[in-house]
Amino acid sequence: MIYDTLIAPFAEYGFMRRALIACLALALGGGPIGTFLVLRRMSLMGDAMAHAILPGAAIGFLVAGLSLWTMSIGGLAAGLTVAILAGLISRVTALREDASLAGFYLISLALGVLIVSTQGSNVDLLHVLFGTILSVTDDALILVASIATLTLVALALIYRPLVIECFDPAFLRATTGGGTVWHFVFLTLVVVNLVAGFQALGTLMALGLMMLPAAAARFWAGAVWSLAALSTVLAFFSGLAGLLISYNFSLPSGPSIILTAGLVYLASIALGTRDSLRTRYFPRAHFHD
């Protein structure tokens, strides 16, 4: 029974193994990125960026159909364009960057859905919005793994300024004058990881495997490195458990993965060791001599 439930799906089916590898790659790249999004209070900004890639992916779909590379390049170009425009507008006007991104996010989402729905079918629209992780190809795995590798190398190189910017951006600007540079480098990493997630989970859920584990880790760990590591572990666990749930109960794989991550998040809110409901309202007794 244990073999049939937990091992057989991956031992007997190649598409399940590819989906599991995709979840591992997404966890390795998205876990640390999600951690910095949480620390920088940019969680909702990440959601806006996830939707910003939709029109680019839709244009790529019009050009070459469900082509992995064309849709990825289109999504990357659209996401970077929105990130740069939102940053520039916030610096030359009184509008805050989050409000500027929200405006572009709404425009991008509507434009992307309009393009796909008018030029394609409902099946194409569902594929773009919700992804098909069980249909991940070898080319898609190479893309996702490459993005995860690029992300880890880039974060290792800019880890120190990113951490400083999370807690004292004024100090970073005063000492290096490069706060804006690191900010745009980080936004680029966010976009490329969302493009990777888009290939497996679609634009509407690409952010889920990045943000929910990172938010859950906040209730268990304190140091930045431990938050990133735990976020990666929780993301991979969510992918693994979600795939098993979808296989054994004949449920859609993408939503199963995100809902599993959501359950981990809710359990962390309730039972975590740091600032959770348990520690706040049911603290352990202190013993005195």
Side-chain angles (χ1 to χ4, degrees):
M1 180 67 70
I2 294 178
Y3 176 85
D4 292 337
T5 303
L6 302 180
I7 301 176
F10 303 109
E12 298 178 5
Y13 299 103
F15 68 89
M16 290 291 289
R17 291 193 294 272
R18 285 192 293 271
L20 183 62
I21 295 172
C23 287
L24 175 60
L26 291 173
L28 288 172
I33 292 295
T35 297
F36 281 106
L37 282 173
V38 170
L39 291 176
R40 293 158 64 99
R41 295 178 175 87
M42 292 174 59
S43 302
L44 293 179
M45 194 174 294
D47 181 60
M49 296 303 301
H51 293 85
I53 68 176
L54 181 56
I59 293 173
F61 167 76
L62 291 183
V63 173
L66 294 174
S67 168
L68 168 70
W69 297 103
T70 304
M71 294 180 68
S72 297
I73 293 172
L76 179 62
L80 290 177
T81 299
V82 168
I84 293 172
L85 287 177
L88 290 176
I89 289 174
S90 68
R91 283 160 176 76
V92 299
T93 69
L95 194 65
R96 290 173 57 91
E97 188 173 20
D98 57 344
S100 179
L101 266 175
F104 281 112
Y105 141 65
L106 294 171
I107 296 171
S108 298
L109 179 60
L111 179 60
V113 172
L114 180 65
I115 292 173
V116 178
S117 60
T118 56
Q119 301 297 324
S121 65
N122 289 334
V123 174
D124 296 328
L125 180 60
L126 290 175
H127 174 87
V128 172
L129 293 179
F130 299 105
T132 51
I133 194 168
L134 295 182
S135 299
V136 170
T137 63
D138 291 340
D139 286 342
L141 282 182
I142 292 173
L143 174 65
V144 175
S146 299
I147 289 175
T149 303
L150 171 67
T151 300
L152 293 176
V153 172
L155 287 178
L157 294 175
I158 65 172
Y159 179 80
R160 182 179 177 84
L162 272 186
V163 173
I164 295 175
E165 190 179 21
C166 287
F167 300 103
D168 195 350
F171 174 77
L172 180 65
R173 288 192 294 270
T175 54
T176 67
T180 301
V181 174
W182 304 125
H183 180 69
F184 280 114
V185 170
F186 176 70
L187 285 182
T188 300
L189 292 177
V190 173
V191 172
V192 297
N193 277 274
L194 289 173
V195 169
F198 152 74
Q199 294 297 335
L201 298 172
T203 58
L204 292 185
M205 290 187 292
L207 193 68
L209 204 60
M210 184 184 296
M211 292 308 310
L212 287 170
R218 182 65 182 80
F219 294 97
W220 300 96
V224 176
W225 70 267
S226 59
L227 281 170
L230 182 57
S231 176
T232 300
V233 171
L234 293 178
F236 179 63
F237 168 78
S238 300
L240 171 62
L243 286 174
L244 289 173
I245 291 172
S246 71
Y247 175 84
N248 288 292
F249 295 96
S250 300
L251 296 173
S253 54
S256 297
I257 292 172
I258 302 304
L259 285 176
T260 301
L263 290 176
V264 172
Y265 171 63
L266 293 176
S268 299
I269 292 176
L271 304 173
T273 57
R274 297 175 59 89
D275 300 322
S276 66
L277 296 178
R278 178 180 64 84
T279 59
R280 177 162 297 187
Y281 296 104
F282 304 97
R284 297 175 62 181
H286 295 281
F287 295 95
H288 302 280
D289 294 331

